[in-house]
Every structure is written in C-alpha cells, then in structure tokens.
Amino acid sequence: MVTTITGTALLVARILALVIFLGMFGVLVTGKVERQWVTLTCGGLVLALVFGACCHSGSAIWKSLNLGSIIKPTFWYGSAAEESFGISWSTILFIFGVWVMVEAMSRSGFFKWVCLALAKAVHYKLIPLFIVFMLISAFLSMFIGSITVILFLAAVTVELSRLLKFDPIPMVLAEVFCANLGGAATMAGDPPNIIIGTAVGFTFFDFFSNTGTMVLISLVIIMIFFLLVCRKDLKKSEANRPENVSYPDAKEAVTNKKAFGVSAFVFILTIVLLITNKQTGLTITTIGLFSGLLALIGTAITVGPKEGLDVLKKIDYKTLSFFVGLFLVVAGLQYTGCLELVAQFIRNVSGGNPYVVVAIILWVSAIASAFVDNIPFAATMVPVIQALATPAVPLDVLAYTLSIGTDIGGNATPIGASANVVGTSIVAKEGHPVTWGKYCKYNAPATIIVVASCMLMIYGRYFWFA
C-alpha cells in the first residue's frame, strides 16, 4: 500500500516517517525508556504527522488501526493472509492467548516437573543432561515463547549445578541457543514468525515442513558443536561430583495435581490444533485464544477464581502495547513508499540474482538481529520481501529466509534476543556473571555456523534440487 500523494508532500512524509522510525530504534537501543512508551509515542506521531498533517488521509489512519480485520470471518476461520498493513491483531491476540496458557501452566509446576523428570531419566549424568536440556529447550520453544522456556530451564540448571558442582554457564548458553533455534521451526515459536506467517498466509505446518527441516539439521550440528567445546569441562565436573547427593524429586514441583493435569491436557491439545490447523481451518489466533481461555477456566476451577484473575494480571501487557505502536510506525514507512525504496535498492545491488537476494536477506537479518530487537526488524522487512518477490525468488522462500535470519541471528550476542538477556541474568544472580567475551566465545561462532549451514540448505532445497 503506497500513498497517492506526490512531489514535495511525499518527500516530507517520507522524511518524517523515516525520522520517526530511526528515532524509535535509537531510543529503544538505549533502553532508558520503557519500550512500549517508545513505540506507542512514535506510532501516534505517524498517525498525526505522516498520515494526518502530510498525507491528509483519514482512510490511512483507519486502515493502519486495522480494526475491521477482527470482524472478518477469515480472521477466525480460514487460511487467507492477513492484510500486511497496520496493526497485526492476529499476532497480538495469538501471543496474548499463548501467554495466558503458559502462565497458568507455570503455576501448576508443569515445566519444572518436565525438566526434573528428564534429569532423573538420565540419572543426572552431565553429558546426557546437557543433550536432553538442549533438546527440550528446542522442542518447547517450538510452541511457547523462548523467554518462558529459558526462565524455568535456566533456573533448574542453576539449581542442579549447585548440587552437582558444575559451571552452569555453558549449559545455559547452549539452552539459550537451542531455544532461539527451536523458535525458528514453527509459526508459533517466535514473534517474528507469527508476524511473517500472518502477513504471508502460512500455516503452522508450512513453517514446520520448511524452516523446521532446517532447524532439525542445525540442531544436530549445534549439539555436536557444544559437546566438542564443553566436553572436557563436563567430564571434569562429572569426575568431581560429590557423593551422597540428594537429588530433587520431580513430584515436588507439582503445586496442584488437578491443575497439573489440566495443563498437560491443554498443552497437548494446543500442539494438536496447531499442527492440524490447515485441516481444521482454524487460524492461529483462534487456537491461541481458545487455549488461553481453556487454561484460564481450568485454573479457576482447580485452584480458584482469584488465581484465574491473577493469571490475567501477570500477562505482559507492556509488550503487547509495544507491538501496537511498532506496527503503526512500520505502516508509516510502508504507506510513504520507504520500504519499496529499500526493496528496489536490494534489487539493484543483487542484479536480480536469486542467490544474492537470499544471501542479503539472510545475513543482513542475522547481523541486524544480533544487535537490535528482531521483532521490529521482522515487521519492517515483511513489506520489503513482498516487494522483492519474483518468479525466480518466490515470496515463500524469502519469508523462510527472513525467519531463519531474524530468529537465529539474535543468538550471536547477549543482547540479540530476550531469551539471551533472561538466561544470562539468571546465572549472574547466582554468582556466575556472563561477560560479552564469554558469551560470544560460545554462541557467536555457533551462530555463524548455523546461518551459513541454513544458507546452503535454502540454496539446495529451493534452487539446486527444486
């Protein structure tokens, strides 16, 4: 969607939209102002200055708010792509529903029980534990946010490190990497995927059968990498393990057996609904809200109505507000044609060569996501890849490339993804500070290896052997 105004008015609108966007990113990077206020303020400026003062377009303001999409039947049922202009209510409502479900499940002790049960299954041996925790981190992040996965997984890892006398940093960093990697495998795994998937019209299985394949191969590669890097330290810690250790009982993690049973049922049902959404026709928004509602009702019945209300109070509404403002700022760039100019620049640089286009999208996404939040970057790039799509480089290939770049690139630095910040903060509080040097020693080379491997996989699957 591009404005019909021309000449000086268009130039001024573009400059304003770009200044607001760059200003938003600049303030977000400093971290001195809560990010939801930054994006909401900038979103308001786009509505008032770009759409109102410059473009004199009430219809642009209404379309960017995108409230009409919610009442469309295809918003709840069907597989049509959402209008990729303005606020993506599909993304926001799906995330809200999943967060309600996860918060209810966490209160029952479901996630901690999973970790401790797996640790017991491998007899608390460090190398098997290392492997199992990487696998469970990747698997759970396919369906719930990587932040949630790292919150409980890193905490359990630190708890076990005190008992078994090993350094928790390498294991937690491996878990962080696998959480971000697993999030790239599905449409529900990471917010950038939700943004990309709803805009392009992908289903859960579309992602799983494409990026999921790349993630599975990358997971094997990265597990070998971490085992080679950490094997000596793990063996040394295993040899120095104290005798007569009193291991934690997984059963003690369960705070309420009935609530635990409801959590397990809702989680399994959600997975089934996501995998089969192409067959059922249910959109991910419907699935997310239904799962959240079911978990909320289950909590109210098994624990009490007050606990159900407390679940709603604990939802991160600040982040949801952050999304609202972000989508409005990106709409300003899209409406004024700034993103079309970016797409044209990439066309000119690449000369239309599909290999170069894919490489640019992948590596620029990965490098940018290592230093800035991958959510606004993904939202900004969706209209760009839509403009870049050609028969030689189809939109779905560009979408999967963008997903891999934004999701995995964030692993390279301690600030590249929220899960990184959470994981390093948890171990630091327990007396194990993670410096940039120590973090990058493990995860920066791992990121380069995986991104390079995925580029070859993209070339092979979509060009060489298509």
Side-chain angles (χ1 to χ4, degrees):
M1 180 179 183
V2 181
T3 178
T4 56
I5 64 171
T6 58
T8 304
L10 176 59
L11 179 61
V12 172
R14 282 178 174 172
I15 292 173
L16 272 175
L18 190 59
V19 168
I20 292 170
F21 174 76
L22 294 176
M24 177 192 75
F25 252 115
V27 178
L28 285 174
V29 169
T30 66
K32 293 182 179 180
V33 182
E34 289 191 73
R35 62 179 189 168
Q36 76 276 8
W37 296 121
V38 177
T39 61
L40 286 173
T41 299
C42 290
L45 289 174
V46 167
L47 294 178
L49 299 180
V50 178
F51 296 154
C54 290
C55 300
H56 306 290
S57 177
S59 63
I61 295 174
W62 174 249
K63 288 180 180 179
S64 65
L65 295 174
N66 205 21
L67 294 171
S69 66
I70 300 176
I71 61 175
K72 292 180 180 178
T74 53
F75 185 85
W76 306 99
Y77 183 84
S79 58
E82 184 183 17
E83 174 66 39
S84 59
F85 180 79
I87 301 171
S88 175
W89 292 109
S90 292
T91 299
I92 293 170
L93 293 177
F94 172 76
I95 292 174
F96 171 76
V98 170
W99 279 353
V100 170
M101 178 189 74
V102 169
E103 177 65 26
M105 292 172 68
S106 299
R107 289 166 181 263
S108 70
F110 178 82
F111 297 118
K112 187 174 182 180
W113 175 86
V114 169
C115 294
L116 292 178
L118 288 172
K120 183 179 180 180
V122 297
H123 307 290
Y124 299 94
K125 300 294 182 182
L126 285 186
I127 291 180
L129 188 66
F130 197 82
I131 295 171
V132 165
F133 274 19
M134 282 194 287
L135 288 172
I136 195 63
S137 179
F139 174 75
L140 289 176
S141 295
M142 292 166 59
F143 306 100
I144 59 178
S146 57
I147 300 174
T148 304
V149 173
I150 293 302
L151 272 173
F152 65 80
L153 192 53
V156 171
T157 300
V158 170
E159 181 180 342
L160 291 175
S161 74
R162 288 196 296 265
L163 291 173
L164 306 180
K165 306 300 180 185
F166 67 88
D167 181 4
I169 292 177
M171 190 175 291
V172 170
L173 293 184
E175 292 162 1
V176 166
F177 194 100
C178 290
N180 291 323
L181 181 61
T186 69
M187 187 172 171
D190 229 15
N193 289 14
I194 303 170
I195 293 170
I196 295 166
T198 53
V200 180
F202 286 156
T203 65
F204 180 92
F205 197 75
D206 288 335
F207 260 104
F208 186 70
S209 58
N210 286 275
T211 58
T213 304
M214 289 183 268
V215 165
L216 181 60
I217 296 171
S218 299
L219 183 60
V220 174
I221 294 171
I222 219 59
M223 287 174 66
I224 294 171
F225 170 83
F226 275 108
L227 286 173
L228 290 174
V229 172
C230 305
R231 188 175 181 85
K232 288 184 179 179
D233 291 336
L234 291 172
K235 283 187 173 181
K236 184 178 179 181
S237 298
E238 189 73 71
N240 296 330
R241 175 182 297 194
E243 297 180 0
N244 302 319
V245 177
S246 178
Y247 299 114
D249 189 349
K251 293 180 181 178
E252 295 175 0
V254 180
T255 58
N256 184 299
K257 290 184 178 180
K258 290 182 179 179
F260 178 86
V262 171
S263 295
F265 170 76
V266 172
F267 185 59
I268 294 171
L269 178 62
T270 302
I271 293 175
V272 172
L273 289 176
L274 286 170
I275 292 174
T276 60
N277 80 310
K278 188 172 184 177
Q279 288 72 34
T280 63
L282 299 175
T283 64
I284 64 163
T285 310
T286 301
I287 295 169
L289 289 177
F290 174 73
S291 299
L293 180 62
L294 203 59
L296 192 64
I297 294 172
T299 300
I301 293 174
T302 57
V303 184
K306 289 185 178 180
E307 189 75 8
L309 290 174
D310 197 42
V311 167
L312 290 176
K313 291 178 183 178
K314 294 294 183 180
I315 300 304
D316 187 1
Y317 294 103
K318 292 180 179 180
T319 297
L320 296 176
S321 301
F322 161 78
F323 277 110
V324 171
L326 168 64
F327 286 125
L328 291 174
V329 174
V330 173
L333 294 175
Q334 188 176 356
Y335 188 77
T336 56
C338 290
L339 298 183
E340 175 58 39
L341 294 177
V342 173
Q344 187 59 49
F345 175 76
I346 295 175
R347 285 193 203 99
N348 294 338
V349 170
S350 66
N353 186 305
Y355 296 101
V356 179
V357 172
V358 165
I360 290 174
I361 297 297
L362 182 65
W363 286 102
V364 169
S365 301
I367 294 169
S369 296
F371 299 98
V372 300
D373 196 321
N374 61 3
I375 296 172
F377 184 83
T380 306
M381 288 299 292
V382 165
V384 173
I385 63 171
Q386 288 175 324
L388 278 172
T390 64
V393 195
L395 178 58
D396 59 343
V397 175
L398 293 176
Y400 298 134
T401 301
L402 177 61
S403 168
I404 289 293
T406 52
D407 291 336
I408 298 175
N411 271 312
T413 68
I415 61 171
S418 299
N420 310 11
V421 178
V422 170
T424 53
S425 298
I426 289 173
V427 292
K429 287 179 182 178
E430 297 298 327
H432 302 277
V434 182
T435 63
W436 267 69
K438 182 172 284 189
Y439 182 96
C440 294
K441 172 187 174 183
Y442 294 98
N443 284 19
T447 302
I448 294 172
I449 290 170
V450 170
V451 174
S453 300
C454 286
M455 184 172 70
L456 293 176
M457 285 185 264
I458 291 169
Y459 287 167
R461 176 163 185 175
Y462 302 109
F463 300 122
W464 296 340
F465 306 112

